[in-house]
Amino acid sequence: MAKITSIHLIAFAFGLCLAGHGVAAERMVVVNGQRMTPAQIDMLDRAACARVPNGRYWINMSNGVWGYEGGPPQGRVGDACRQRRRSLSERGLLYSPGELLR
């Protein structure tokens, strides 16, 4: 019978991590009872201006209102696109010339 060494255990653990990583990278988004393909998920991400988390959703295609399956409305697709991003000066990230050298 072969003796299991620490190198074998490390290799086995590394293999499990790699196998788990591939599973974790797959997204599972269901909209109106239909599982979305990776291309459809990409289109949904672009329309939402955000990464859509894995889950089950409903979307009213005529007005863009969405919610979690069986739940109330949560908003409209693209709400994140309308949020104004604060400017560099509003975030305190705008510096005058030479200010960083003081």
Side-chain angles (χ1 to χ4, degrees), residues 84-94:
R84 182 183 164 277
R85 186 171 180 191
R86 295 183 337 177
S87 69
L88 290 174
S89 60
E90 290 172 325
R91 291 183 277 158
L93 299 174
L94 191 61

Side-chain angles (χ1 to χ4, degrees), residues 50 54 68 82:
N54 291 339
Y68 298 103
R82 293 179 204 59

Side-chain angles (χ1 to χ4, degrees), residues 12-57:
F12 179 71
F14 184 71
L16 284 177
C17 289
L18 289 178
H21 181 69
V23 172
E26 184 178 338
R27 294 181 58 193
M28 206 285 291
V29 176
V30 177
V31 176
N32 296 340
Q34 179 183 3
R35 183 169 180 176
M36 300 286 102
T37 66
Q40 290 171 322
I41 293 172
D42 287 342
M43 285 179 21
L44 192 56
D45 286 346
R46 283 192 300 277
C49 293
R51 185 177 190 278
V52 176
N54 291 339
R56 300 181 71 86
Y57 305 94

